[in-house]
């Protein structure tokens, strides 16, 4: 019997658990460790902030879901990995000690490195959690006039909610924008292409911003936030009255001692999703050291590849399924300006961009399907 240990309960960890449970049944032990019992559907957080859904609509009990598919759940935090002895140290309500494994999947996600931007914690909103989204939503509801800044900090890796938040604000404050009492601006630390892994979509997205009277600014690498302005390394000083930024992303510092992380603590893997220099170990999702943005659909596809290769290994076969790093995403502008982008980060000859109301509907339908499958 193989003992498979999955660290992390986000998209990557959950999909690996589902695929393994479906293929292996009860013939092997599958354990998932995560600090939170609640799974959050992160693409729904913009809708939560704007009052279009409730927290229960975009979360579910992870422990119940895992029990239903025959996967053991342990609530706890990973504090160390001893890959030489195949042990993981866990600290939590249910246990404090080591868990052994035969096969390991690291799906710990990214850390929000707010400390990299002084003033972020004190003055900026973000959307990466239900509590944060609700607080930003309350700030929106009480906002009357002034300048709203939405943007990415340097090394933030999530441009879609920035764009969708700007479009939602433009809809919410349409009349105020028209009379000049509210201004909405979007800022990026580099170019728009850099934010989307090299994909060229500036013409379509800039046209959409212009159509909704949203200002967009590039090459503004934020270094500090004061109570009334964002400052950049290029000497920008941009006043704001309401601020929402995506902070820098980092991996997990507890993994450094194992020698398989990059300078930002993300895990280095090959195209089979196997961890560099490790036997019987995989990594998926935001913890992985791939270039470009970090989207949920990437975590899902990486998890499917890792699970397929892990199943092959357990069955005594050679793992052969390869992951291809690409973007397939929709920016929902709430109407005909919605954009579908398909782009190969590892092969820029793969490029498809479509625009129209259909894509916004498609995203809403897909999100509803994903949430319904876990009810």
């Amino acid at each position: 019997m193989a003992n498979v240990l999955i660290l992390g309960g986000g998209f990557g960890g959950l999909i690996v658990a589902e695929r393994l449970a479906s293929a292996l049944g009860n013939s092997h032990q599958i354990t998932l460790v995560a600090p939170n019992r609640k799974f959050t559907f992160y693409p729904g957080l913009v809708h939560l902030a704007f009052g279009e859904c409730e927290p229960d609509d975009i979360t579910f009990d992870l422990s119940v879901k895992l029990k239903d598919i025959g996967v053991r759940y342990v609530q706890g935090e990973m504090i160390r990995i001893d890959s030489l002895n195949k042990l993981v140290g866990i600290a939590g309500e249910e246990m404090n000690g080591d868990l052994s494994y035969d096969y390991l999947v690291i799906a710990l996600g990214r850390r929000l490195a707010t400390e990299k931007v002084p003033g972020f914690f004190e003055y900026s909103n973000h959307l990466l959690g239900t509590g944060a989204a609700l607080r930003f939503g309350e700030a929106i509801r009480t906002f009357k006039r002034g300048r709203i800044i939405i943007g990415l900090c340097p090394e933030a890796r999530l441009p879609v909610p920035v764009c969708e938040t700007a479009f939602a604000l433009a809809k919410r404050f349409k009349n105020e924008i028209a009379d000049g009492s509210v201004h909405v601006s979007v800022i990026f630390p580099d170019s728009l292409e850099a934010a989307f892994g090299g994909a060229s979509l500036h013409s379509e997205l800039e046209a959409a911003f212009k159509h909704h009277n949203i200002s967009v600014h590039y090459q503004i690498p934020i270094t500090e936030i004061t109570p009334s302005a964002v400052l950049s390394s290029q000497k920008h000083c941009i006043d704001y009255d309401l601020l929402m930024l995506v902070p820098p992303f980092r991996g997990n510092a507890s993994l450094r001692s194992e020698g398989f992380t990059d300078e930002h603590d993300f895990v280095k893997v090959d195209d089979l999703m196997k961890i560099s220099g490790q036997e019987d170990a995989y990594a998926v999702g935001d913890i992985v050291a791939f270039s470009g943005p970090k989207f949920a659909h990437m975590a899902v596809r990486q998890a499917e590849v890792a699970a397929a290769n892990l199943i092959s290994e357990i069955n005594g076969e050679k793992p052969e399924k390869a992951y291809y790093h690409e973007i397939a995403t929709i920016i929902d502008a709430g109407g005909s300006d919605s954009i579908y982008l398909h782009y190969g980060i590892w092969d820029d000859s793969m490029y498809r961009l479509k625009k129209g109301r259909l894509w916004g509907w498609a995203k809403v339908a897909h999100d509803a399907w994903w949430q319904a499958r876990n009810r």
Side-chain angles (χ1 to χ4, degrees):
M1 173 184 285
N3 180 13
V4 182
L5 181 59
I6 304 167
L7 303 178
F11 282 99
L14 177 60
I15 293 298
V16 170
E18 288 182 338
R19 299 297 185 267
L20 293 180
S22 177
L24 302 176
N26 297 323
S27 57
H28 301 279
Q29 174 69 56
I30 305 168
T31 302
L32 187 147
V33 178
N36 299 313
R37 289 184 179 273
K38 288 282 188 181
F39 176 96
T40 299
F41 183 75
Y42 276 82
L45 289 170
V46 173
H47 298 291
L48 177 64
F50 284 86
E52 297 166 3
C53 64
E54 297 296 327
D56 286 348
D57 296 325
I58 60 170
T59 61
F60 61 83
D61 192 314
L62 182 63
S63 63
V64 172
K65 171 70 175 180
L66 294 174
K67 183 178 179 181
D68 288 344
I69 63 174
V71 174
R72 176 192 178 200
Y73 171 71
V74 174
Q75 185 174 18
E77 194 91 40
M78 185 280 298
I79 56 175
R80 67 181 177 279
I81 294 178
D82 178 358
S83 57
L84 182 63
N85 295 301
K86 292 193 171 183
L87 296 172
V88 175
I90 305 297
E93 296 180 8
E94 297 183 357
M95 72 163 295
N96 282 280
D98 291 333
L99 286 175
S100 63
Y101 65 87
D102 299 312
Y103 298 93
L104 179 67
V105 180
I106 300 177
L108 294 169
R110 75 284 182 276
R111 181 177 71 84
L112 304 183
T114 57
E115 77 281 358
K116 298 295 181 181
V117 181
F120 189 104
F121 180 81
E122 294 86 351
Y123 307 122
S124 181
N125 292 281
H126 69 81
L127 280 172
L128 301 180
T130 55
L134 290 170
R135 287 190 292 273
F136 180 51
E138 181 60 27
I140 293 168
R141 283 187 288 277
T142 59
F143 189 78
K144 301 300 182 184
R145 62 172 50 244
R147 189 175 191 183
I148 307 174
I149 299 290
I150 309 297
L152 290 173
C153 291
E155 299 168 3
R157 308 281 287 273
L158 206 56
V160 171
V162 168
C163 300
E164 292 188 336
T165 297
F167 289 125
L169 286 167
K171 179 180 178 181
R172 172 66 64 90
F173 295 106
K174 182 178 180 179
N175 293 334
E176 292 83 353
I177 291 172
D179 67 25
S181 61
V182 170
H183 300 271
V184 178
S185 297
V186 177
I187 58 178
F188 293 94
D190 296 299
S191 65
L192 189 59
E193 289 87 348
F196 283 88
S200 176
L201 74 165
H202 60 278
S203 295
E204 291 79 6
L205 194 49
E206 285 178 348
F209 284 141
K210 184 178 180 180
H211 181 226
H212 292 270
N213 296 307
I214 298 167
S215 300
V216 58
H217 308 279
Y218 307 112
Q219 308 296 336
I220 302 179
I222 297 170
T223 54
E224 186 179 352
I225 302 169
T226 75
S228 59
V230 293
L231 312 180
S232 86
S233 60
Q234 303 300 313
K235 309 303 182 183
H236 298 96
C237 180
I238 304 174
D239 294 337
Y240 70 86
D241 297 288
L242 178 61
L243 183 65
M244 194 289 284
L245 300 172
V246 178
F249 286 3
R250 288 293 186 271
N252 193 304
S254 300
L255 303 174
R256 289 178 190 169
S257 61
E258 293 301 304
F260 50 65
T261 58
D262 68 7
E263 68 273 19
H264 295 314
D265 299 323
F266 294 112
V267 177
K268 294 181 284 189
V269 299
D270 60 19
D271 62 353
L272 302 178
M273 304 311 301
K274 297 200 72 170
I275 297 175
S276 301
Q278 296 290 310
E279 293 292 332
D280 309 322
Y282 294 80
V284 301
D286 287 356
I287 194 65
V288 169
F290 286 151
S291 61
K294 293 183 178 292
F295 294 151
H297 79 88
M298 292 173 168
V300 170
R301 289 178 47 250
Q302 291 165 14
E304 290 172 341
V305 169
N309 289 327
L310 188 46
I311 291 164
S312 294
E313 282 203 70
I314 292 172
N315 290 334
E317 302 166 357
K318 182 180 178 180
E320 295 182 336
K321 188 173 180 64
Y323 169 74
Y324 186 81
H325 199 38
E326 62 186 12
I327 292 172
T329 192
I330 293 172
I331 302 170
D332 184 4
S336 59
D337 289 316
S338 297
I339 293 171
Y340 168 76
L341 172 67
H342 187 194
Y343 173 74
I345 296 177
W346 290 347
D347 178 8
D348 60 10
S349 66
M350 176 188 294
Y351 177 80
R352 185 185 180 202
L353 189 145
K354 301 288 184 180
K355 191 173 180 180
R357 192 179 303 274
L358 169 66
W359 299 110
W361 294 339
K363 185 165 189 175
V364 170
H366 175 268
D367 290 357
W369 170 83
W370 219 99
Q371 295 166 55
R373 72 188 284 275
N374 292 293
R375 295 293 172 188

